[in-house]
Amino acid sequence: MTLSTAPNIDYSTEAYRRAYALINGVVIMGENHADHHFRLLADAIPADREELLALAAMEARHAREFVGCGRNLRVQADIPLARKLFQPLHDSLTSALEQGDLVRPLVIQCLIIECFAIAAYHCYLPVADPYAKGITTWVIDDEHLHLNYGEQWLQRNFSSHREAIAEACRRELPTTLTILQELWSDLEAIGIAPEALVAEFNCLLNDSLGAIGFQPKEVMAISTSAVARALAHL
Ligand SMILES: [Fe+2]
Ligand SMILES: [Fe+2]
C-alpha cells in the first residue's frame, strides 16, 4: 500500500520543523510517561500485572518509534518543555497511587491520556509525513487497547467508584486541556486544526464515560462542560 502525503505541506520549512520539535517532544514524553504509568499500575494491580506490563512495553516501543520520526525529519525534539507540560498529570497520577487510589490513575492514563492520544494521532494522520504516517497508523490501534483496559476496569468497579471517577475527570480535564492550549499554534503550524482535536477528544471521552456506565446527562456534566469551559478561556 502506498501512503499518500498531504499535498500542501512542506516538511522541510523552518516553521514546520520548529513546531514539530515541540509536538514530537510532547508525543515522546507522553509515550514515555505512559510506559512508566502502566508499569506503576502493574505493581498496583497484581491480578492484571502481565497484561499491564505488555501495555507498558507497547508504549515504550511507541516512544522509540516517534523518536525515529523526529530523526527522520532531522528535528531535535523539545523534551524539557514537554516534560514541564506533562508534570501536573504525572504528579497527580503518582500521588494518587501512593495513597492507594486506583481510580484517579486509571482515569488519567487510560481515559484522558489515551483519548487525547487517539484524537491527536487521528488528526495528525492526514497531514503526517509518509514515514510518520505508517507508524502512527498502527500506534492508534495499540492506544485503543489501552483505552479498553481502563474502560473495562472502571466499568467493573463503576457502582462503588462512580463519584470518584466523575471527580477525577472534573479535576484532571482542565489540566489536560491546558496542555492543548500551550500547543495550539504549533499544532496549526504542522497542519492540525486544534478545534477538530478537541472535538474528537470530547467525543471519545464521552463514548468511554457512557461505556463505563454514566448516563448521557452525567457525561455532559462531567466532560462536555469541562471542555467547553476550557475552550472559553482560549
Ligand atoms: Fe502509546
Ligand atoms: Fe497508550
Side-chain angles (χ1 to χ4, degrees):
M1 186 178 76
T2 307
L3 294 165
S4 61
T5 306
N8 54 354
I9 294 186
D10 182 348
Y11 302 103
S12 64
T13 66
E14 199 45 47
Y16 184 92
R17 297 172 76 248
R18 201 180 312 120
Y20 193 83
L22 178 57
I23 303 294
N24 188 233
V26 167
V27 167
I28 292 165
M29 205 61 226
E31 298 289 359
N32 276 330
H33 271 313
D35 170 22
H36 184 196
H37 294 164
F38 278 115
R39 281 187 282 116
L40 291 174
L41 285 165
D43 290 338
I45 312 175
D48 294 343
R49 183 173 177 78
E50 292 311 313
E51 183 178 3
L52 286 161
L53 288 176
L55 300 186
M58 290 180 193
E59 304 290 24
R61 183 174 176 207
H62 298 170
R64 287 195 299 275
E65 295 286 355
F66 284 122
V67 167
C69 292
R71 198 181 299 130
N72 181 54
L73 293 179
R74 286 177 287 109
V75 167
Q76 182 68 46
D78 188 342
I79 297 293
L81 183 50
R83 188 188 304 277
K84 201 172 124 217
L85 290 177
F86 271 111
Q87 203 63 44
L89 278 179
H90 176 66
D91 289 347
S92 187
L93 183 144
T94 50
S95 68
L97 271 182
E98 280 162 15
Q99 290 158 30
D101 175 10
L102 292 178
V103 170
R104 185 177 302 277
L106 285 164
V107 166
I108 291 173
Q109 180 58 49
C110 295
L111 290 196
I112 295 178
I113 295 181
E114 299 294 348
C115 284
F116 194 83
I118 293 168
Y121 294 155
H122 266 163
C123 291
Y124 176 53
L125 267 188
V127 294
D129 66 87
Y131 182 87
K133 186 174 291 196
I135 289 164
T136 307
T137 302
W138 64 256
V139 166
I140 289 172
D141 291 340
D142 285 356
E143 308 301 10
H144 277 286
L145 299 177
H146 309 162
L147 172 59
N148 287 346
Y149 173 84
E151 268 182 15
Q152 286 169 14
W153 193 98
L154 293 165
Q155 193 180 44
R156 282 198 304 276
N157 295 276
F158 182 68
S159 54
S160 50
H161 292 94
R162 183 187 199 115
E163 185 42 40
I165 299 168
E167 200 280 321
C169 284
R170 281 193 293 265
R171 196 173 106 183
E172 307 299 345
L173 273 172
T175 315
T176 311
L177 291 162
T178 302
I179 299 177
L180 188 74
Q181 288 170 19
E182 294 288 330
L183 301 178
W184 203 266
S185 60
D186 294 296
L187 288 166
E188 289 177 324
I190 68 162
I192 293 176
E195 301 89 345
L197 200 169
V198 175
E200 177 147 2
F201 169 67
N202 198 17
C203 269
L204 285 162
L205 189 63
N206 287 359
D207 286 350
S208 283
L209 291 169
I212 288 166
F214 288 104
Q215 297 301 312
K217 252 185 171 174
E218 295 173 291
V219 170
M220 285 293 290
I222 296 166
S223 158
T224 304
S225 61
V227 172
R229 269 199 309 279
L231 286 181
H233 288 99
L234 289 176

